[in-house]
Amino acid sequence: WKGMFGRPHWFRKREIGWGLVPITWQAWVYGVAWYGVIVLAWLLPHLEGQGRLGFLAAAGLTLLKLVDMKLIRDQMADSSG
C-alpha cells in the first residue's frame, strides 16, 4: 500500500473524467474527513482575520488530497494488470 490515507479497494475509477467513486463506507468517511479538514483550514483563519493564511492552508491540503488520489489511482492501475 503506497497511498497516504485512502485504500484502492475503497474506490472505483470514474467512467468519465478523472477521479474516484466511493464504493465502501470507509471511502465516504475518507472523503468527508478530507473535505471537512480543508473547509476548517480555510474557515478558522478567516474568523481570525487571516484570510490569506486560510486560502494557502486550504490550497495546500487540496494539493495533498489530489496527490493521495493519484497514488490510489496508480495502485489501481498496477493491480489491474
Side-chain angles (χ1 to χ4, degrees), residues 2-57:
K2 299 175 187 173
M4 289 188 283
F5 302 111
R7 306 285 170 100
H9 61 274
W10 294 349
F11 303 94
R12 68 173 171 81
K13 290 182 181 179
R14 288 180 56 169
E15 292 180 22
I16 299 173
W18 190 90
L20 301 169
V21 176
I23 59 172
T24 65
W25 67 268
Q26 294 96 331
W28 285 100
V29 169
Y30 165 88
V32 168
W34 259 112
Y35 291 118
V37 168
I38 291 168
V39 167
L40 283 176
W42 177 85
L43 181 63
L44 293 178
H46 274 74
L47 295 176
E48 297 293 323
Q50 299 290 322
R52 185 173 293 174
L53 176 62
F55 172 79
L56 292 173

Side-chain angles (χ1 to χ4, degrees), residues 1-2 4 18-19 33 35 59 61-63 69 74 77 81:
W1 171 64
K2 299 175 187 173
M4 289 188 283
W18 190 90
Y35 291 118
L61 287 168
T62 300
L63 181 61
M69 287 175 61
D74 289 348

